[in-house]
Amino acid sequence: MDFSLTTEQTLIRDNARRFLQERVTPLIKDAEERGEFAWEILPELKDFGYIGGLLPEAAGGSGLGFIEWALLMEEAGYCWLGLRIVVNTININARLLDQFGNEDQKTRFLKPLLDCKKRLWVGITEPNHGSNVAGIETRAEDKGDHFIINGNKQWITNGIFGDFGILVAKTYSQTLGLDGEISLFLIDKSETDYEAHRAPVMFAKSTATSVLSFNDAVVPKGNLLGKPGDGLRQILSGLNYGRLNVAMGAVGAAQSALDLSIQYAKDRKQFGRPIGSYQLVQKHIVDMRVKTDAARALSYRAAWLMEQGESARLECSIAKLFATEAAHDVANKALQVHGGLGYSAEYPIERIFRDTRGGIIPEGTSEIQTLIIGREILGMSAFN
């Protein structure tokens, strides 16, 4: 297993890093205060592979491999968690549409998504169901030429701003022979009425975390994505991809906190000498470096295995579990190194600290990852 980067991979990483620093970093403060992502930057992000990067070129993507994609996610996490989350949401939808959408759906939804002309959301989590996707309560009843949907979704990225989204619901249909099987639906805001309001949260403030409510909402039959009753398989097929995204974003955030702390430890003086010369500060810096490097190695291993065509289910869960926990540990130590400046909202450490804590939960909590890893290792499931 060789983790050395090719010339092309190094160029992709360095170009993305330069662009994000020059064009995206200046937008973060305003976007976080407004509580809305800087949508105007999406067309430029596409040029670097951030929009549809893993899709084949024939489908409108960039045809990147998993290593290249992992590098882009690391740079996104280094720059801004809000960016990593929005890009992740866009590409989850793009993958589902490319794999399971018909030609009409690809024309109506995938093309404008890849052209950065549509904003979107993914509706999975509910007030009573997060990790247990199979237990969702949102209902879609077959009424002939349309479905009637009732239910609520919670913690939905960009829910109040999305032009469309992919909704997970349990399908009930005598004609289709469905009695509570999960299906996916394309919800177009211009043709389906639903309520959306912001859910204030402590992290990723620019991504407009939302609650969506469907009350006898009408969805055309043609907006069923893929085969009816096949929704759980469709969603689960992308979990490793999502966990790799989260892990690599966490690695980037950890590296950002580490770099800021190293520079601060060199510049900040107490008692006539840089604080980096004191043993306890050096201990913090060393611990941060070790955890960041370990998280990167585990995440690169998962990306490399996926590049080889492996499912990497175990490795992606290990990477997600370790990298997200490590990133918050690193951010916590970074705040300690910075002292009072660390929790100032005028300085990046405060945001990184909040964002890395929030990053532990999405795409399966640490507890869920632990049970998945245990099942893979022992061959016995602790899930009820």
Side-chain angles (χ1 to χ4, degrees):
M1 189 184 305
D2 183 4
F3 286 160
S4 60
L5 302 180
T6 66
T7 301
E8 182 180 0
Q9 289 167 343
T10 301
L11 188 63
I12 289 173
R13 182 199 63 190
D14 292 349
N15 285 342
R17 179 178 300 173
R18 189 179 305 110
F19 168 77
L20 296 180
Q21 178 64 33
E22 294 175 356
R23 290 285 291 118
V24 178
T25 297
L27 304 175
I28 295 175
K29 187 175 186 294
D30 178 65
E32 291 280 310
E33 291 176 350
R34 287 187 296 109
E36 182 176 0
F37 184 72
W39 302 104
E40 67 273 15
I41 207 69
L42 286 183
E44 293 180 76
L45 285 169
K46 182 178 180 180
D47 293 339
F48 292 87
Y50 277 107
I51 309 299
L54 286 172
L55 297 187
E57 294 182 9
S62 303
L64 297 178
F66 283 103
I67 298 295
E68 291 84 3
W69 182 252
L71 294 171
L72 289 178
M73 289 300 99
E74 182 176 355
E75 294 305 319
Y78 188 98
C79 176
W80 182 22
L81 180 72
L83 169 64
R84 205 279 303 158
I85 290 176
V86 168
V87 167
N88 189 42
T89 304
I90 290 172
N91 286 283
I92 286 174
N93 269 345
R95 184 192 64 82
L96 289 170
L97 282 162
D98 179 59
Q99 290 188 353
F100 306 112
N102 57 39
E103 290 307 312
D104 176 66
Q105 291 169 344
K106 290 179 180 180
T107 299
R108 293 172 56 205
F109 298 102
L110 180 57
K111 188 178 186 307
L113 176 63
L114 296 178
D115 289 342
C116 304
K117 295 180 179 178
K118 293 284 188 180
R119 305 171 185 179
L120 69 151
W121 46 262
V122 180
I124 303 174
T125 310
E126 298 183 355
N128 295 326
H129 298 279
S131 300
N132 180 22
V133 179
I136 64 169
E137 300 171 358
T138 299
R139 297 172 59 93
E141 298 188 23
D142 188 358
K143 296 297 183 180
D145 63 348
H146 66 276
F147 286 91
I148 295 293
I149 294 183
N150 285 280
N152 299 292
K153 296 294 179 179
Q154 195 169 20
W155 317 127
I156 308 304
T157 298
N158 291 328
I160 61 173
F161 295 123
D163 299 303
F164 77 92
I166 293 179
L167 181 78
V168 183
K170 283 189 173 177
T171 322
Y172 297 84
S173 171
Q174 291 183 350
T175 57
L176 296 175
L178 300 175
D179 186 21
E181 286 83 358
I182 292 176
S183 299
L184 304 186
F185 295 88
L186 290 158
I187 307 297
D188 188 333
K189 191 175 184 178
S190 67
E191 61 188 11
T192 297
D193 291 328
Y194 60 91
E195 296 181 6
H197 65 269
R198 187 186 296 270
V201 293
M202 66 175 282
F203 84 115
K205 292 180 178 293
S206 66
T207 63
T209 304
S210 305
V211 174
L212 307 181
S213 299
F214 297 85
N215 183 20
D216 290 336
V218 178
V219 178
K221 204 64 164 288
N223 285 21
L224 178 68
L225 180 61
K227 297 179 181 178
D230 207 22
L232 185 59
R233 182 188 68 82
Q234 293 168 325
I235 289 295
L236 294 179
S237 70
L239 285 182
N240 289 343
Y241 161 85
R243 287 167 184 159
L244 175 63
N245 288 348
V246 173
M248 289 306 304
V251 170
Q255 187 66 55
S256 180
L258 173 59
D259 288 349
L260 289 166
S261 298
I262 291 172
Q263 190 60 52
Y264 187 77
K266 291 178 177 179
D267 295 341
R268 174 66 165 158
K269 292 183 178 180
Q270 284 288 306
F271 308 106
R273 52 195 281 203
I275 64 171
S277 67
Y278 293 105
Q279 293 179 5
L280 291 178
V281 174
Q282 288 198 5
K283 177 65 165 62
H284 285 322
I285 297 294
V286 170
D287 287 346
M288 294 162 69
R289 173 63 188 265
V290 170
K291 289 189 175 183
T292 301
D293 281 7
R296 180 178 291 108
L298 289 170
S299 301
Y300 278 12
R301 179 183 67 166
W304 183 85
L305 286 169
M306 294 179 76
E307 188 84 4
Q308 311 311 307
E310 302 288 337
S311 68
R313 183 168 54 245
L314 171 63
E315 291 78 11
C316 284
S317 283
I318 290 174
K320 196 275 180 184
L321 171 64
F322 186 87
T324 55
E325 295 275 359
H328 188 57
D329 286 344
V330 169
N332 185 45
K333 284 183 169 59
L335 196 153
Q336 195 70 18
V337 169
H338 283 79
L341 184 63
Y343 55 74
S344 169
E346 297 299 315
Y347 202 70
I349 292 297
E350 181 267 348
R351 171 173 52 81
I352 295 172
F353 178 84
R354 288 186 291 100
D355 285 351
T356 53
R357 182 59 186 89
I360 293 172
I361 296 174
E363 302 291 343
T365 63
S366 291
E367 291 77 13
I368 290 296
Q369 300 307 322
T370 300
L371 295 182
I372 292 171
I373 294 166
R375 182 182 63 194
E376 293 296 312
I377 294 172
L378 296 170
M380 296 181 286
S381 178
F383 293 102
N384 292 328

